[in-house]
Amino acid sequence: MLDLIWEKESKIISQTFLRANENFKAILLWQNINGRRSLFPSVVHDVNFLDKTVTFCLKDMEKKYRFNSDELLYGRLDERSLLFKSPIVNVNDFLVTVHLPDEVRLLELRNYQRTHYGHNSAIYGNVERVVDDLLGQKVYSFRLFDISQSGASFVIKAKDKKCFNKGDVVLIQNIGETKMDVPMEAEVVYVKDVPYTDGAIKYGISKLGVKFDHAMPERMYNILLERLIK
């Protein structure tokens, strides 16, 4: 059963906003102004780790929005059903910046919590493409972006995007130095370009997302995580 919890760990909070930024997840902002709720559909534009702020980009750039900087800004994000409130730092046309919330309410995903390593990860995974052609099978070594018991994502080279399609079957041979006794079968769920923000620096990266055919047992997953940090 999924439980709603109040999360106060800043790393988890910032990573949740960061994933929303990478995946263009919609977020609904609102303020209570003069006794009425004003709604502001938006997306996460930037997560600044140095300033500990989050900037949202309002979806309808033609519309004139009015914010009250003296009132808290509320928001709801579908990613883990996140709910938050935070004071406004700055409003600039269709961009509104708030302090990174001290706490948020979200779904606790005990079994499938994702561990984030980022676009510059030093951990690599060998992904074997299963194909039915004269080329046979080919193994790629990709940086591990993040992983959970149910799947993983990898940073891939732009030239490799054409080698994978949604629905393809792949085999995960190893993650880091941990070699699977039996390669893990997985299905490609996306191949896409995403923006990535690291402080004030923005990158464009390509990602491959896979879903394991069978969720990794919790004990095996925890052992894998322990080995990855050594």
Side-chain angles (χ1 to χ4, degrees):
M1 181 178 178
L2 299 178
D3 298 317
L4 290 170
I5 61 170
W6 284 100
E7 179 60 67
K8 297 184 179 182
E9 176 59 51
S10 61
K11 183 178 180 181
I12 293 176
I13 295 172
S14 59
Q15 285 182 354
T16 304
F17 281 112
L18 187 60
R19 284 196 298 273
N21 168 256
E22 294 163 0
N23 298 316
F24 303 103
K25 293 288 188 180
I27 185 167
L28 181 63
L29 305 175
W30 70 88
Q31 269 194 318
N32 295 318
I33 301 176
N34 297 326
R36 297 182 62 184
R37 177 178 288 190
S38 298
L39 305 178
F40 313 106
S42 63
V43 293
V44 178
H45 175 72
D46 181 58
V47 182
N48 192 313
F49 293 95
L50 295 178
D51 294 340
K52 295 184 177 181
T53 58
V54 183
T55 299
F56 303 100
C57 178
L58 303 175
K59 280 193 170 182
D60 189 352
M61 298 181 185
E62 301 298 324
K63 185 176 178 180
K64 291 185 178 181
Y65 294 94
R66 293 182 179 180
F67 291 92
N68 185 341
S69 296
D70 295 326
E71 296 287 338
L72 291 173
L73 184 69
Y74 296 82
R76 184 183 187 282
L77 176 66
D78 285 341
E79 178 83 23
R80 294 188 65 184
S81 295
L82 181 146
L83 281 172
F84 73 91
K85 60 182 178 180
S86 185
I88 293 177
V89 175
N90 184 52
V91 177
N92 183 9
D93 293 330
F94 49 84
L95 298 177
V96 55
T97 301
V98 303
H99 289 293
L100 187 71
D102 292 329
E103 64 176 7
V104 299
R105 194 204 72 171
L106 41 66
L107 287 174
E108 183 179 30
L109 307 178
R110 290 195 184 101
N111 291 334
Y112 301 105
Q113 186 170 351
R114 192 163 290 272
T115 302
H116 183 88
Y117 294 98
H119 76 289
N120 230 2
S121 167
I123 301 166
Y124 285 79
N126 281 356
V127 179
E128 181 177 342
R129 183 170 62 100
V130 180
V131 292
D132 186 18
D133 58 26
L134 296 177
L135 296 177
Q137 299 175 340
K138 185 172 182 181
V139 178
Y140 298 78
S141 182
F142 296 139
R143 290 182 186 271
L144 178 68
F145 188 87
D146 58 23
I147 189 170
S148 73
Q149 287 176 246
S150 62
S153 69
F154 302 89
V155 178
I156 66 176
K157 296 179 180 178
K159 66 181 180 66
D160 291 330
K161 287 193 299 179
K162 64 181 183 294
C163 300
F164 298 90
N165 295 293
K166 184 176 179 180
D168 284 353
V169 176
V170 296
L171 299 175
I172 311 300
Q173 295 185 343
N174 67 281
I175 300 291
E177 299 298 320
T178 302
K179 185 175 182 180
M180 307 300 173
D181 293 335
V182 177
M184 294 183 61
E185 189 168 321
E187 177 185 349
V188 174
V189 292
Y190 66 79
V191 184
K192 62 184 178 182
D193 295 324
V194 296
Y196 187 80
T197 303
D198 186 1
I201 304 174
K202 292 182 178 294
Y203 302 86
I205 63 174
S206 300
K207 285 178 63 181
L208 170 74
V210 303
K211 179 181 179 182
F212 303 142
D213 272 15
H214 301 286
M216 196 183 304
E218 186 174 1
R219 182 173 179 276
M220 177 182 174
Y221 179 67
N222 289 334
I223 291 174
L224 174 63
L225 294 183
E226 289 175 5
R227 291 178 179 175
L228 292 180
I229 63 175
K230 289 182 179 179

